[in-house]
Each structure stands twice: as structure tokens, then as C-alpha cells.
Amino acid sequence: MDADDVALPNRLQVQGGQQYFSSRTNTIFQDVQKIAEKMEDEYISTEHILLALIERAREAGYTSLSLSVEPGNPARKLYERHGFRVVDEGADAWTMVAPLASNQGSD
């Protein structure tokens, strides 16, 4: 080990820490936080993010929402709880679709 190897850890620094997002993304994260609070959860989770995105899509007038999930992904059960159903089973990914016309799956 030479002198540069020993000195390297002293030169490494992490600065900042503030994340910057677009105003639209910030608004979605505010929605996510409100959903977590409504559900009396201390931290936000994938479910809170999914619920916020579903609500945003519904408000924008979309009648359905689709996503892709790997066949063995345990998140599939989360998606199914919120109205998503498998419509195509590809080898690498399954396509799931949820209707958004009603409040189905948004509670």
C-alpha cells in the first residue's frame, strides 16, 4: 500500500444531501405523505406511492393504468390488492392493468 492509498479515505467527502425534484414530483410526494398520514403510517412505502399515482391518473381522466412486473415479484400481490389484474404473461414480464373509472382499489 502506498501513501495515496492511505490518504484516499481522508479525501472522500459527501456533500449536500438535499434532493431536488420537479414541482410535479414534489406535489406527488406531498400526496404520498398525506396518504401515509391518513393510513397512520410513520414512513412512506411503495403502497403509498402506488396509491398516489393511481389517484393522480384518475384525476387526470385516465380510465385504466398498466404496469409490468416480473413473474416472481412479490409486489404483484400489492398490485392485485389495488385492482390490477394480469392481462399478459410474457416470459420476462407480466402486464397488469387496473380500471380507474371508479374508486375501486383506492381505499
Side-chain angles (χ1 to χ4, degrees):
M1 202 176 326
D2 61 28
D4 287 336
D5 291 332
V6 174
L8 185 60
N10 294 331
R11 289 189 223 152
L12 297 177
Q13 295 180 359
V14 176
Q15 295 179 348
Q18 176 66 37
Q19 300 295 320
Y20 295 96
F21 298 105
S22 69
S23 61
R24 187 174 182 179
T25 302
N26 278 329
T27 301
I28 291 171
F29 277 120
Q30 289 171 359
D31 294 346
V32 169
Q33 184 63 44
K34 288 176 189 173
I35 289 168
E37 289 170 1
K38 182 178 177 184
M39 295 173 72
E40 299 181 358
D41 291 330
E42 187 175 349
Y43 301 101
I44 63 169
S45 70
T46 305
E47 182 174 26
H48 303 128
I49 296 168
L50 178 65
L51 290 170
L53 293 174
I54 289 170
E55 188 55 33
R56 282 285 169 154
R58 185 178 286 121
E59 289 172 357
Y62 290 93
T63 57
S64 65
L65 193 61
S66 69
L67 56 81
S68 295
V69 62
E70 293 180 359
N73 189 329
R76 178 179 165 198
K77 294 199 182 301
L78 169 68
Y79 304 143
E80 289 173 340
R81 272 199 324 265
H82 293 288
F84 286 85
R85 298 293 173 253
V86 175
V87 296
D88 182 50
E89 293 184 13
D92 296 326
W94 291 355
T95 301
M96 300 182 79
V97 175
L100 301 180
S102 68
N103 285 334
Q104 174 185 348
S106 67
D107 47 21

